[in-house]
Amino acid sequence: MALSSKIATFVAGFITVFIDVSLFWWLRLYRYLTTPTRKQLLLETLSTAHLYEEWAAAAHQLDRVVDNYVWRDTPPTRIYDYNLILDRTDQLYDALDHDDIMTLCHTLRSGLVRNLGNIADPKLYNRAYAGTKLIIERYINECVLAVQYITAYRSTSDEGLTNQSKLDLLHDARQSLGRSCLVLQGGSIFGLCHLGVVKALHLQGLLPRIIAGTATGALMAALVGVHTDEELPSFLRSENIDLSAFAAASERAAQAAANTAKTRQAGNDWLSTLVRRARRFIEYGYVLDVKVLEECVRANVGDLTFEEAYLRTKRVLNITITLNGGGVPSLLNYVTAPNVLIWSAALASNASDARFSPIMLQCKSANGTVEPWEIPAEASVKPAKRTYRNASIPADRHTPLSRVAELFNVNHFIISQARPYLAPFLSPSLHLSHSARSSREPWSAFALRLLSMEIQHRLTQMHQLGLLSPGIRRLLIDETVPGASWTLVPKVNLSDFARLLRNPTREEIDYWILRGERSVWPAVTALKMRCIVERELDAGYQLVRSRKPLDLDHRTIVKQTVHQQMLKTKGGKRPKQRAASMGAG
């Protein structure tokens, strides 16, 4: 009896210990499987950040977690000519260090190319989250300091750098480097992302002075093009955008629905809205009511002309339309159409086919009255009947963007693409996701890009054969970009398509502005490497041209700025001190 009780006690104890141990390890396994790693937490922060500073801090920490700083601090790679970049970095540093202004001018001017040594290759910006090769960042930083040094240099005739020669140097350097243009393309309600793109670029000092817009992008470009740099930060908030036209339209629609004799269920309201907007797009070429759009744009833009907006902001606003008579694309800006009202051009660009949606451009006469814009026309087209349609896909090779390049020396385009129905066919410059960043593109992404290129090729063939309607062309075909470009594509979820049925509200605008900002943040480093020298050259040229006295002497720039920033290298070493051995990485 005693033995049986001991056995029972032993068995009960064994079972208790087994349950406790099993429960302990099951809990440990559960915590291991459900607790996110530090990398996962940082990736989540990247996707949910509300400020660029928050995003950048998480990106730098993530680079340390995955050891991307080893790649960034190692110059050699097959992607770019690192020996060339190292040599030019040393030359600029030495010229700045020895106050050799003539050598500095010669060195800067002899190699001022946006893609020198292939440093603008997107592959260099798809590896690390918060930057690229440190030697590339140092080289661009030295170019910026060289421009600042030349701008602040006190000219004397005996040293060979007069104020006029300095002005000529900066002018020629600007012409050689070229200019950037921000292109806002389409989007319907998704086009509100363009405001977020503009906001993020402006806060980082990367917003180009040349902006082009088509369709909904033309509406957003019009809103941006009439505000100065000082006004943009406050304007790009939902509370400062006049939405009274959409609010009034929603009230009228609600009142009409209440007065309708038929009683409809609330669940069918979204279907009727979808049918109404689809019919409007098929018949007229736009989704939102053009009258409401006109009221909204005029409330925010006013009756400003292209020339008045340029004189006020020094921003070059371009809106593309196409003449219905000849099919030749027309680019409207302060040079080609100085007296045309911006709001009328934006509405004309928003229509896909003028045969069904005639929109007459308006202009200001010599005495300031608003009247229809009449221009010389072909014999077969009467000026009074001339109308306009969307110019996103012209019928010939003289595209609006090529015209922008010709007029304003543009050789680099930043394209904000907000057409989510083209997402499977787009190839954004940052094509790797944050969760799968590596030095090589995944085979799935490569296959998708290959498929998209094939589909685009077939659609282009159908367009050249005249088999696509204007609406289909506008939806599915992208305009050829005549130069280097960087494409920004906001991330859009499937649930966001339901927002097509809503009129814009302040909450909607804030939502889309944040989406647009997040599409820019991963590309900030790449855009800085491409555009920051251009911005410094433009600022320096305007400063020297104004002939204003400078508060700082050039030697102060050298002693305080150059030595502080140039020596910020790993271990306090100078940039020209290279590693003993550099194998190709």
Side-chain angles (χ1 to χ4, degrees):
M1 195 68 173
L3 180 61
S4 61
S5 62
K6 290 181 180 180
I7 293 176
T9 303
F10 174 79
V11 172
F14 177 80
I15 293 176
T16 302
V17 171
F18 177 79
I19 293 175
D20 290 343
V21 172
S22 300
L23 183 61
F24 171 80
W25 285 109
W26 274 110
L27 290 175
R28 289 287 300 271
L29 179 62
Y30 175 78
R31 293 193 187 100
Y32 174 79
L33 294 177
T34 57
T35 302
T37 63
R38 179 169 175 76
K39 180 180 178 181
Q40 292 173 334
L41 290 174
L42 291 172
L43 288 172
E44 181 67 20
T45 302
L46 292 183
S47 61
T48 59
H50 287 76
L51 295 173
Y52 173 73
E53 291 74 16
E54 179 184 359
W55 185 95
H60 281 288
Q61 295 180 34
L62 190 56
D63 279 335
R64 293 188 181 93
V65 170
V66 298
D67 292 332
N68 279 336
Y69 272 96
V70 176
W71 176 85
R72 293 185 61 192
D73 199 40
T74 306
T77 180
R78 296 185 179 92
I79 302 176
Y80 75 111
D81 189 349
Y82 57 90
N83 283 319
L84 174 63
I85 302 304
L86 285 169
D87 289 339
R88 288 193 58 81
T89 302
D90 292 345
Q91 294 171 18
L92 290 171
Y93 184 92
D94 288 339
L96 284 166
D97 196 28
H98 294 89
D99 297 347
D100 190 348
I101 183 62
M102 301 311 297
T103 301
L104 180 64
C105 293
H106 174 75
T107 304
L108 181 68
R109 187 66 186 85
S110 62
L112 197 57
V113 181
R114 201 184 299 271
N115 191 26
L116 180 69
N118 203 37
I119 62 174
D121 194 313
K123 294 178 183 177
L124 291 168
Y125 306 92
N126 276 283
R127 176 64 179 264
Y129 292 88
T132 182
K133 295 287 187 180
L134 294 180
I135 186 59
I136 297 178
E137 297 182 7
R138 294 190 190 112
Y139 166 68
I140 296 298
N141 186 50
E142 292 193 10
C143 290
V144 170
L145 289 174
V147 174
Q148 293 176 351
Y149 177 83
I150 294 172
T151 302
Y153 193 86
R154 292 189 182 277
S155 303
T156 56
S157 58
D158 58 338
E159 292 180 343
L161 187 67
T162 63
N163 195 75
Q164 183 59 46
S165 60
K166 183 198 301 184
L167 190 64
D168 293 339
L169 171 67
L170 294 174
H171 175 271
D172 294 342
R174 287 197 342 169
Q175 288 295 109
S176 174
L177 186 62
R179 306 178 74 180
S180 298
C181 174
L182 175 62
V183 182
L184 309 179
Q185 291 189 344
S188 186
I189 193 67
F190 302 103
L192 293 172
C193 288
H194 296 316
L195 295 178
V197 171
V198 171
K199 179 180 179 181
L201 291 176
H202 177 68
L203 292 178
Q204 296 302 317
L206 298 172
L207 181 62
R209 289 180 55 232
I210 304 173
I211 301 178
T214 301
T216 307
L219 301 174
M220 301 300 108
L223 296 178
V224 174
V226 300
H227 291 88
T228 63
D229 288 340
E230 294 74 17
E231 296 171 343
L232 273 182
S234 60
F235 172 74
L236 292 174
R237 293 198 296 261
S238 59
E239 60 267 19
N240 294 325
I241 300 177
D242 192 340
L243 299 175
S244 57
F246 288 103
S250 299
E251 292 178 2
R252 289 195 298 268
Q255 186 65 28
N259 296 335
T260 303
K262 297 180 180 180
T263 58
R264 296 179 301 177
Q265 296 181 355
N268 293 330
D269 289 344
W270 68 270
L271 181 60
S272 62
T273 303
L274 176 63
V275 171
R276 183 174 65 255
R277 293 190 174 181
R279 184 184 298 115
R280 184 185 298 147
F281 178 80
I282 294 174
E283 294 180 357
Y284 301 107
Y286 41 75
V287 177
L288 297 176
D289 191 343
V290 71
K291 297 297 183 182
V292 179
L293 284 177
E294 177 180 344
E295 295 176 10
C296 181
V297 176
R298 294 191 70 172
N300 290 279
V301 176
D303 287 337
L304 282 178
T305 65
F306 283 96
E307 185 176 35
E308 291 170 345
Y310 174 75
L311 294 176
R312 184 175 186 273
T313 67
K314 296 302 179 183
R315 212 182 301 281
V316 182
L317 173 63
N318 299 271
I319 292 179
T320 58
I321 60 175
T322 298
L323 300 176
N324 195 37
V328 179
S330 178
L331 181 73
L332 304 182
N333 52 46
Y334 82 97
V335 176
T336 61
N339 299 323
V340 172
L341 299 185
I342 293 175
W343 67 261
S344 66
L347 291 181
S349 180
N350 209 54
S352 63
D353 197 333
R355 294 174 299 175
F356 308 108
S357 57
I359 297 175
M360 179 62 67
L361 291 178
Q362 304 293 317
C363 71
K364 281 186 180 180
S365 63
N367 56 10
T369 60
V370 177
E371 58 186 23
W373 186 48
E374 295 184 359
I375 59 177
E378 297 84 354
S380 59
V381 182
K382 297 181 179 180
K385 295 183 179 180
R386 179 163 289 232
T387 52
Y388 307 86
R389 64 180 175 85
N390 179 274
S392 56
I393 306 299
D396 53 37
R397 296 181 297 175
H398 302 287
T399 63
L401 292 186
S402 65
R403 185 63 174 149
V404 171
E406 294 170 359
L407 285 174
F408 305 109
N409 189 35
V410 173
N411 60 3
H412 178 245
F413 295 86
I414 303 173
I415 301 175
S416 175
Q417 180 59 265
R419 289 181 283 180
Y421 36 77
L422 283 181
F425 311 108
L426 292 175
S427 179
S429 298
L430 286 178
H431 54 266
L432 300 182
S433 64
H434 288 304
S435 59
R437 267 196 181 183
S438 62
S439 58
R440 295 184 179 180
E441 183 178 5
W443 68 268
S444 57
F446 174 78
L448 184 60
R449 290 205 300 134
L450 183 64
L451 176 62
S452 68
M453 286 165 36
E454 178 65 23
I455 294 176
Q456 286 288 320
H457 174 63
R458 298 305 175 190
L459 289 172
T460 303
Q461 287 181 324
M462 296 177 64
H463 163 54
Q464 293 175 347
L465 294 174
L467 301 178
L468 295 181
S469 65
I472 298 298
R473 291 201 307 268
R474 176 186 175 186
L475 284 174
L476 298 180
I477 303 181
D478 281 335
E479 180 183 345
T480 303
V481 179
S485 64
W486 189 276
T487 304
L488 303 171
V489 183
K491 182 180 179 182
V492 177
N493 300 323
L494 187 62
S495 59
D496 292 330
F497 284 85
R499 299 177 184 269
L500 282 171
L501 306 179
R502 308 175 190 172
N503 281 330
T505 62
R506 303 200 184 281
E507 292 75 15
E508 291 285 319
I509 290 179
D510 287 334
Y511 175 85
W512 289 115
I513 285 179
L514 182 59
R515 284 295 179 93
E517 288 185 88
R518 288 173 178 169
S519 70
V520 176
W521 294 340
V524 165
T525 299
L527 294 177
K528 280 185 177 179
M529 299 302 102
R530 291 169 174 238
C531 303
I532 196 67
V533 177
E534 172 193 342
R535 295 279 294 182
E536 286 296 331
L537 283 172
D538 186 66
Y541 177 78
Q542 299 298 334
L543 181 61
V544 174
R545 188 180 181 185
S546 65
R547 298 180 182 273
K548 294 180 179 179
L550 300 175
D551 296 329
L552 291 178
D553 184 75
H554 66 281
R555 299 184 188 278
T556 306
I557 297 291
V558 173
K559 300 303 180 183
Q560 295 182 357
T561 307
V562 175
H563 287 281
Q564 290 178 4
Q565 298 196 26
M566 289 308 195
L567 296 178
K568 286 184 178 179
T569 59
K570 187 176 181 180
K573 297 179 181 178
R574 291 176 54 159
K576 65 178 182 179
Q577 292 179 339
R578 308 184 187 182
S581 61
M582 292 184 185

